[in-house]
Amino acid sequence: MRARLAAALGALLVTGCDSAPKASEPSLPPPRIISGPVSVAAACTGPSPSARPAEPSVAAAPGDPRQLVASWLENPTGTVVAVSHDGGGTWSRSPLPGLLTCAGGPYARTSDPWVSIGQDGVTYVASLGTRPAASNATAHDIVVSVSRDHGVGWEAPVVVETASAPPTQPDKEAILADPRHPATAYLVWVDYRVTAGVDPSVNQVMFTRTSDAGRTWSTPAAIYSGNDEAQQNQLLMTAGGVLLDVFVEGPALPSAPHPPPLPVKIRLIRSTDQGKTWSAPVDAARFTFTNAVDPG
C-alpha cells in the first residue's frame, strides 16, 4: 500500500508541475554516481534478492553546503552512508555500523534510511531494523544512528521503539534536525495494527524528539490516527519555527485488477511547540487513484 500511495503522490506532483508556468532553470552539472563498492565484513557479502541501491536520502549541513551526508539501502550490505566534505565533488562510502547481524549488530536487515543534519553539525540517520524472525512474531526497531564529526564516525544506534508483528508493525520513518535549535531533532513513523494472515490497512502516526543530540528520545506518542492508511510522512519546519508533518492518507486498494478509483488526501498537521501538541489535520489536496494495468 505504501508504494501505491507514493506513486499516487508522485503523479499528483508531476501533474501540478506540468500545469505550472515554465520558469527558466539554472544550469546544473550532470548527476554523479556515489554508490559503489563498500568494504564490509565477509559475513555480509552473501547473495541478495536485490543488490541494487534503493531508498536514498541526502542532507546538507546548514550554513556549510560543502558538508553532505547521503544514505541508502544496498543489500546485503544494509544501510550505507556516503560523506562528502567538498560539496559533492568526492565521496567516501561505508556501511552504517552496529546494525546487521553479519557485522555484529542485532538485525537481519534494515530499510527506510533517512538522514538529516542539524545546525550544530550533528548528523542523524534513522532506520527500520528487522530482527531475525521468531516462531510467533518478527521484532522491528526504529533506530537512530548519530555522527558528531560530519559522518566520519558513528555512535552505536539508539533504539527509539521496539515492536513485534503481530500485533504492531512500524514502518517508514522520517527524521528532521531542528534548523533553529541545536541538539534537537524530531522523528515520525507509522505503526500498523497487524493481525496474523491479514494485510494491514490502518495505522497511526508516531512521534518522538530528542533534546540532547540523539543520546535519548522521548517516549513515542501517537500524533494522528484516522480510519485509513497514513503514509509517507515527512517533517518540515517553516521559517517561523512551525513544525509540519505532511502525509498521504487513503484506503488500501483491493487486489482486483480493475478496482474503482479511491479517494486520497495530502494532509498536514502543525505543531507550534516543537512537537508537544499537534493541530487537527488540514487537507492540502484531494484526488483519486487506482491500480495501473498494462492493457497488453
Side-chain angles (χ1 to χ4, degrees):
M1 176 58 185
R2 69 182 186 184
R4 292 195 289 266
L5 283 178
L9 175 58
L12 174 67
L13 295 178
V14 169
T15 301
C17 291
D18 285 346
S19 61
K22 300 297 183 182
S24 60
E25 297 182 356
S27 176
L28 297 175
R32 181 184 299 271
I33 297 175
I34 65 172
S35 62
V38 178
S39 178
V40 297
C44 297
T45 59
S48 169
S50 174
R52 292 181 295 179
E55 301 180 341
S57 175
V58 66
D64 187 0
R66 297 172 302 170
Q67 304 293 337
L68 303 173
V69 178
S71 184
W72 64 89
L73 179 65
E74 189 158 345
N75 290 318
T77 307
T79 301
V80 174
V81 289
V83 178
S84 175
H85 303 295
D86 57 7
T90 59
W91 294 81
S92 60
R93 296 180 297 272
S94 64
L96 197 60
L99 293 176
L100 293 187
T101 55
C102 61
Y107 304 114
R109 63 183 184 274
T110 59
S111 59
D112 301 344
W114 196 291
V115 60
S116 186
I117 306 175
Q119 61 158 289
D120 51 4
V122 176
T123 303
Y124 305 85
V125 176
S127 303
L128 174 64
T130 301
R131 295 180 182 268
S135 59
N136 59 344
T138 300
H140 305 270
D141 293 346
I142 300 292
V143 298
V144 178
S145 302
V146 170
S147 173
R148 307 184 195 280
D149 53 10
H150 298 293
V152 176
W154 295 89
E155 298 177 0
V158 174
V159 176
V160 175
E161 180 189 68
T162 296
S164 293
T168 303
Q169 164 72 63
D171 191 28
K172 217 63 179 175
E173 76 291 336
I175 196 165
L176 174 69
D178 192 316
R180 299 161 59 93
H181 299 90
T184 302
Y186 313 101
L187 178 64
V188 290
W189 67 95
V190 296
D191 276 349
Y192 283 94
R193 306 161 197 166
V194 177
T195 302
V198 178
D199 189 23
S201 60
V202 177
N203 59 21
Q204 58 183 356
V205 180
M206 305 297 294
F207 174 85
T208 182
R209 54 172 283 173
T210 180
S211 56
D212 58 7
R215 294 179 176 87
T216 61
W217 294 80
S218 63
T219 301
I223 59 173
Y224 178 76
S225 181
N227 296 320
D228 289 320
E229 187 174 5
Q231 259 290 12
Q232 308 298 328
N233 288 262
Q234 182 170 348
L235 292 170
L236 305 167
M237 182 165 282
T238 69
V242 177
L243 183 61
L244 307 176
D245 178 33
V246 184
F247 55 92
V248 187
E249 185 175 21
L253 282 173
S255 58
H258 297 281
L262 296 176
V264 176
K265 303 173 184 176
I266 308 296
R267 315 193 82 181
L268 64 88
I269 53 178
R270 306 167 70 252
S271 175
T272 58
D273 53 11
Q274 296 182 286
K276 296 182 179 69
T277 60
W278 292 84
S279 71
V282 175
D283 292 350
R286 293 170 178 256
F287 59 104
T288 59
F289 79 125
T290 187
N291 285 337
V293 178
D294 184 352

